[in-house]
Amino acid sequence: MLPVERAVQLTKNYGTPECNRYRRQIFASHEYLAPALARYYCEIAEKSSHVEANRVLKKLHKQLTLGRTFLGLYIDSPPEDVRSFAEQRTTELIKSYYGYNKKYGPKSALEHLIGKLAECDLALPVNDPYTAKPEELAGAIARALDSDWWRRQIRKRQDFILEQVQITIGNVHLKAGIYISQDGVRRKCQQWQRNEDLLKSLEATNDLGEVFNLFDVVNRSVSNLTNRRNEMMTRISGAEAVAKGRGDQSVFYTITAPSKYHRHMAKPCKPNPKYQDFSPLDTQLYLNTVWKRIRAKLKRDGIEIYGLRVVEPHHDGTPHWHLLLFIRPDQRAAVEKIFRYYALQEDPNEKGARLRRLKIENIDPKKGSAVGYIAKYIAKNIDGKDVGEDLYGRDAIESAVRIRAWASNWNIRQFQFIGSPSVTVWRELRRAATDEVVQKTISKIDDCRLDELVQAADSGDWAAYIELSGGPATKLSKQPLRAFQVERDRPNKYGEATQKILGLIYAGAKKIVTRVRTWTIGPTPPVASLSVSELCFSSGGANAPPLEFCQ
């Protein structure tokens, strides 16, 4: 039986013949979602009435349709339809915007453009178009008239709304699509594949004539999952070593949102009656707010902490936070009090709040290290290596793919170090250590501390790098090294000046250029057009430079 017919059969006993015809139209508009929409419809009808179920179905249909101004584009429309719509809309906008500008002047043209964007629930990408600087406004207008910008905005909306509908109708939980819907994973995997294909079709050429495939270049950076995990472990191991040297204690905090943010309960796995239609992004904003309040209070009280924050999803896609923090022993009780106060500010009296909303574990060094404790959280959120099974008994490697898809879909930053020196500087130092030209510049500066910083980075000693940078929780402005950025030779496609990293600045004045090569990116020529001698030349692999060099 076709999906639409199956959905119609599931709901045929609810309401009038008119209701049946109305539902059929909606199911036909969202064919692949039709059975799930029908099951959710039945759930609402049984709990309340078919009238309420009709209202909810209408609301979901409106979410999935995007609106009349999108000319029939649906939330689940394929990329080629989105691209076609974006090109058509921007062609119309360019004509009308410049027409208004010529006939009525810049102000009327701006108001016209803002109105056209508002019809599609979009806004000019600038804080206040009427007070923005001319160059900021020009860049924002250029974006609003660009089909690629429209395509990105629509794709982002597709990701958010479609996945939220999947959560609402019960397609994201332990017994369905864990962490993210099956469709959500499919969409992200397709996107990753398109990105990979694009990278493979491009090559980076430097001023020496060396050519590297861009996919190989990217694969040598922290975009590579193994490299990312290894760097994360190096950094947290170094932070723990500093904590041991200073006598600081390791404490593991877990912060969870109130019940109303969770679509499904875990034990047993069933819909949560307290759920109030919050998305994972709403929950992340809530947790961010809690964290901002905690940090502000810690700052007011003169308490310095350092460590790592990890964000991961519950089985129903609702995020929660883990924080491994290193704290002075005499400040541990004060920090715990602050955490408890702000974690329980919202809905403090709901059942189980004090038990579930904040968990604190003091790590006993006699039983294991802080790094050993956090390692599984890092691995299961990156590639699942050596984890075995996740919390819900699923293969950790497969779960890691779903978790990365979840984070990408909701634009959630999975990891954030707290109170650590710049990792950008660290990466530049590691490159500087192996470049003879850069080493000559460093030798001329003739500074022992700089030499020690280079040595620490080259040997992978994050603990030494922290101490040489001023210690944990040192402000970036007070650290001895910062990134040396310059304006690019050419503006971006929107006419805006952009910055690129050229190297490092030591002690606020001494410039160290670490990126001595200039690079251009272009399409990879077809293999058939290459000569035998060109085919013998290395085009990537182990010889490819790190991604950040190719700017």
Side-chain angles (χ1 to χ4, degrees), residues 3-282:
V4 173
E5 294 304 320
R6 190 157 71 249
V8 170
Q9 285 297 314
L10 283 170
T11 59
K12 68 178 181 179
N13 295 325
Y14 298 100
T16 65
E18 287 77 13
C19 290
N20 282 318
R21 287 192 290 271
Y22 175 71
R23 289 193 295 266
R24 178 184 283 277
Q25 290 176 351
I26 293 178
F27 294 148
S29 297
H30 317 289
E31 185 173 353
Y32 88 101
L33 270 179
L37 288 169
R39 287 191 294 272
Y40 186 57
Y41 180 95
C42 294
E43 180 186 325
I44 300 295
E46 290 295 324
K47 287 181 179 178
S48 182
S49 67
H50 77 274
V51 175
E52 176 63 14
N54 285 340
R55 186 192 67 78
V56 172
L57 187 62
K58 181 180 180 180
K59 179 182 176 182
L60 290 171
H61 173 59
K62 186 177 180 181
Q63 281 182 276
L64 291 166
T65 307
L66 281 173
R68 288 181 299 175
T69 51
F70 282 89
L71 307 177
L73 198 68
Y74 289 93
I75 281 293
D76 53 346
S77 292
E80 53 269 24
D81 288 357
V82 173
R83 184 180 296 276
S84 176
F85 168 81
E87 289 172 353
Q88 179 182 346
R89 178 47 59 98
T90 50
T91 299
E92 295 170 354
L93 272 179
I94 290 170
K95 184 178 179 180
S96 63
Y97 172 77
Y98 286 109
Y100 263 76
N101 194 37
K102 184 177 180 180
K103 190 173 182 179
Y104 304 110
K107 186 176 180 181
S108 294
L110 177 62
E111 291 172 348
H112 168 73
L113 181 59
I114 291 171
K116 286 295 181 182
L117 290 170
E119 288 178 4
C120 294
D121 291 330
L122 296 176
L124 207 62
V126 66
N127 288 334
D128 185 347
Y130 297 105
T131 60
K133 295 178 181 178
E135 60 271 20
E136 292 176 346
L137 183 58
I141 291 172
R143 281 180 167 79
L145 299 178
D146 176 53
S147 62
D148 287 340
W149 182 82
W150 274 80
R151 183 172 51 81
R152 288 192 296 270
Q153 301 309 306
I154 295 169
R155 187 178 66 192
K156 188 185 297 184
R157 177 172 295 194
Q158 285 182 311
D159 286 347
F160 287 3
I161 297 178
L162 184 56
E163 193 59 25
Q164 182 57 29
V165 169
Q166 296 275 16
I167 290 170
T168 299
I169 64 180
N171 281 349
V172 183
H173 57 79
L174 182 59
K175 296 179 179 179
I178 191 168
Y179 309 128
I180 187 171
S181 68
Q182 303 291 3
D183 179 68
V185 174
R186 177 185 60 79
R187 284 167 56 85
K188 281 300 165 185
C189 286
Q190 289 174 346
Q191 180 183 329
W192 293 337
Q193 186 60 55
R194 289 194 299 270
N195 293 346
E196 183 176 313
D197 292 342
L198 175 62
L199 290 172
K200 288 179 178 178
S201 72
L202 299 171
E203 62 185 20
T205 307
N206 66 20
D207 52 342
L208 298 179
E210 297 174 319
V211 182
F212 303 95
N213 182 266
L214 206 56
F215 176 74
D216 293 326
V217 173
V218 170
N219 212 35
R220 288 201 62 205
S221 72
V222 289
S223 295
N224 179 295
L225 299 180
T226 300
N227 293 348
R228 188 189 310 174
R229 174 169 43 78
N230 289 341
E231 185 183 79
M232 295 281 294
M233 292 305 300
T234 296
R235 294 173 69 189
I236 195 61
S237 296
E240 183 184 34
V242 168
K244 286 180 179 179
R246 291 173 172 246
D248 294 338
Q249 292 187 344
S250 309
V251 186
F252 193 77
Y253 300 85
T254 300
I255 306 176
T256 304
S259 179
K260 63 189 179 186
Y261 289 91
H262 300 256
R263 175 66 177 93
H264 275 78
M265 297 183 286
K267 298 179 181 178
C269 181
K270 64 179 184 180
N272 175 19
K274 296 181 181 179
Y275 178 62
Q276 294 182 15
D277 291 326
F278 289 108
S279 71
L281 188 58
D282 295 325

